[in-house]
Amino acid sequence: YIKEGKIDEAIRQFNILFEKDKNDITNRFYLADTLIFTHERFNDALKYLKDVIRIDTNFDQGFFDIGYCYYKLNDFKNAIKYYNKAIKINPLLKNVWLNIGVSNFSLKNYIQAIIAFKKELEIQNDDYLVWFNIGLSQFNLEDYNEAINSFKRALSIYPNFYFAWLNMGITYEK
């Protein structure tokens, strides 16, 4: 049903399966990821992801995906809450600090955002998006020289990154 685009029927069939196997993590997680990344049905995905972490309280990716759903629903405080739960399980989980930073940025907590972005750099120091987001946060804190340096660092990794060039130009005008 999923391949045919009949997602509501797929959900109905999965629910029948879940009634038979109350602890089926694999199919719940598959359904949740399909709802998130193919259909952008974040509220529906949350139901299945919360079942997943109820069944396996150490499933870091489940907590991460719940955080992502909340982020996409503009509930940044809950996003951060669940990202932090993922970190407690796996402090080296890729992109979790980046997402905490972006969520803090969305809440205008720029210093907290920079702290989170710098923690992501400890995991993957060559991520141009992390450097770019540090630059945006520094810009919003009116730390223009540091913002320029961060945009330059992003461009040293990905020279064709248009938004880094654009924001660096805007920052130079300040």
Side-chain angles (χ1 to χ4, degrees), residues 21-40:
D21 185 353
K22 304 271 188 218
N23 295 318
D24 182 349
I25 292 176
T26 304
N27 283 313
R28 278 181 172 83
F29 191 69
Y30 170 75
L31 176 58
D33 271 7
T34 300
L35 289 167
I36 294 169
F37 298 111
T38 305
H39 299 280
E40 296 189 354

Side-chain angles (χ1 to χ4, degrees), residues 115-154:
I115 291 168
F117 293 139
K118 287 185 176 181
K119 287 183 179 181
E120 184 69 30
L121 289 175
E122 293 173 15
I123 298 168
Q124 51 180 357
N125 68 352
D126 62 343
D127 189 322
Y128 69 95
L129 287 175
V130 176
W131 285 106
F132 175 71
N133 280 291
I134 290 172
L136 290 177
S137 298
Q138 292 164 328
F139 178 88
N140 280 289
L141 291 170
E142 298 181 0
D143 189 354
Y144 301 123
N145 288 332
E146 287 301 314
I148 288 169
N149 290 334
S150 295
F151 293 138
K152 284 181 180 179
R153 185 69 190 263

Side-chain angles (χ1 to χ4, degrees), residues 64-167:
F64 180 91
D65 283 5
I66 291 172
Y68 181 75
C69 286
Y70 281 122
Y71 173 79
K72 294 299 281 184
L73 293 166
N74 294 321
D75 185 347
F76 305 115
K77 289 181 181 179
N78 268 323
I80 292 168
K81 173 184 166 184
Y82 280 91
Y83 289 142
N84 280 324
K85 289 181 180 193
I87 287 169
K88 286 182 183 171
I89 297 165
N90 181 0
L92 299 177
L93 187 61
K94 189 176 178 185
N95 291 327
V96 71
W97 287 109
L98 172 63
N99 289 13
I100 288 172
V102 172
S103 295
N104 272 302
F105 184 92
S106 297
L107 292 169
K108 300 183 179 182
N109 297 332
Y110 303 119
I111 292 172
Q112 290 302 113
I114 292 170
I115 291 168
F117 293 139
K118 287 185 176 181
K119 287 183 179 181
E120 184 69 30
L121 289 175
E122 293 173 15
I123 298 168
Q124 51 180 357
N125 68 352
D126 62 343
D127 189 322
Y128 69 95
L129 287 175
V130 176
W131 285 106
F132 175 71
N133 280 291
I134 290 172
L136 290 177
S137 298
Q138 292 164 328
F139 178 88
N140 280 289
L141 291 170
E142 298 181 0
D143 189 354
Y144 301 123
N145 288 332
E146 287 301 314
I148 288 169
N149 290 334
S150 295
F151 293 138
K152 284 181 180 179
R153 185 69 190 263
L155 289 165
S156 74
I157 298 165
Y158 182 36
N160 295 326
F161 187 35
Y162 169 79
F163 293 106
W165 284 109
L166 175 67
N167 282 279

Side-chain angles (χ1 to χ4, degrees), residues 25 28-29 46-66 82 85 89:
I25 292 176
R28 278 181 172 83
F29 191 69
L46 280 169
K47 174 187 178 220
Y48 298 104
L49 289 168
K50 287 183 177 181
D51 283 345
V52 166
I53 64 169
R54 177 188 46 77
I55 296 164
D56 182 354
T57 59
N58 289 312
F59 190 44
D60 58 349
Q61 194 63 47
F63 286 100
F64 180 91
D65 283 5
I66 291 172
Y82 280 91
K85 289 181 180 193
I89 297 165

